[in-house]
Amino acid sequence: MLKQRLRYGLAIAAAFAASMAFLPGPFLFLLLVAFAAACQWEFYALAARGGYRVYRGLGLALGGLWIAAVYLLAAPPGKPHPNVPGWEAAMLIVVCFIVLLRTMADAQARRAFETAAITFLGIFYGPVMLSYYLRLAQWDAGRAWGTTRAGVFLCFFLSVVIKLGDTGAYAVGTLLGRHKLCPRVSPGKTWEGLVGGLVASLATGLLMAVVARRCQWGPAGIFWAKAGGEPLLNLWRTGAVSLLLSLAGVFGDLIESMFKRAVQIKDSGGIFPGIGGILDVIDSLIFAPPCLYFFLVWSCP
C-alpha cells in the first residue's frame, strides 16, 4: 500500500507541479477551473452521501464564475485595480444572496440552514481557496489578467513543498507512527508523521532555495536577485514559509478527513488506486495558496 501510494502520489504531484511551473496564464486558469470543479463535485457528493440536499449545479457555476473573476479582475499585489475596487466582497455577497434565494425558492429544502450553508461552503472550500493560485501567478504582473514567470514559479514552489511534505508525512507515519495526532478526525495521522512532513517540507524548500541561489535557477527576484538586490525569499523566509505551508497542508488534510468521517466513508472517490479521489489528492493544497500569498504580501519586501 505504501509503495502504491508513493508511486501514484509522486507521479500526480510531479504532473501538477510541472503544470504550475510551465503552463501559460490561460491554461493555468482552465486547469484551476477543472480542479476546483472536481473538488466541489466530490465535496457535494460527500454531502449527498450524508443525506444533505445541496445545489450542485448552482455551486459549480458560481465557483467557476469566481475563478473567472479572479483571473480577469484581481489586481497584482500592491497594484489596486483602477476600475473595480472591492469586487471580492461584492461578489461574495452576491453569491451568498443567490444561494439563499435558491434555497428560499426550493419547496423540497426541508433543512434550509444545511442546504444553504453546505452549498456556500462548497464554493468557498474549493474555488475561493484554490483561486489564490491565480493570485500568486499574477505576482508583479503588469495587468490584472496577466501572469509572470516569477508568479508561476511560486505556484510550482508551493506545490512541490506541500506534496513532498505529504509524502514524507505518510512514509514516516506508516513506518514509525505510534502516537495519534487527532484520532477523532483521522485515526491514521500521527505526531511522528507530522514531524516527518515538517522536516520533508523544510528540506524541500531550503534545497530549492539553495540550488536556485547558487545556480541562478528560476526567475530572478524569488530566491536570488540581480545586482545585489534583496530576493523575495531569503533562506530564513524560505524556511519559515515552508513550515507554514506544511502545517496548512496538514490542516487541509484533517479538514477533508473530518468531512469524510462525518458521512462514514474512507475516500472521496476511487480515481487513483491507493489514494482515492481528486479531493483526496488536493486536500493539502486547498488552504496553502492563501497562506503563501498573504505571507509574501505581509512579510516580504
Side-chain angles (χ1 to χ4, degrees), residues 91-156:
M91 188 167 179
L92 283 176
I93 292 172
V94 170
V95 167
C96 185
F97 268 121
I98 292 174
V99 172
L100 291 174
L101 287 172
R102 175 67 180 89
T103 308
M104 186 172 60
D106 185 3
Q108 299 181 11
R110 305 300 181 187
R111 297 183 292 182
F113 282 112
E114 295 172 353
T115 298
I118 294 173
T119 301
F120 185 79
L121 179 60
I123 299 168
F124 197 84
Y125 180 65
V128 173
M129 293 292 102
L130 292 176
S131 69
Y132 278 89
Y133 264 118
L134 280 177
R135 296 177 187 267
L136 287 170
Q138 292 175 327
W139 196 267
D140 282 339
R143 51 193 174 91
W145 55 89
T147 58
T148 64
R149 288 188 64 240
V152 175
F153 188 82
L154 287 172
C155 297
F156 171 73

Side-chain angles (χ1 to χ4, degrees), residues 40-56 111 118 263 265:
Q40 268 189 287
W41 182 274
E42 290 192 352
F43 176 81
Y44 289 146
L46 287 178
R49 288 280 298 272
Y52 300 102
R53 180 175 175 79
V54 294
Y55 305 125
R56 185 177 300 182
R111 297 183 292 182
I118 294 173
V263 297
I265 64 171

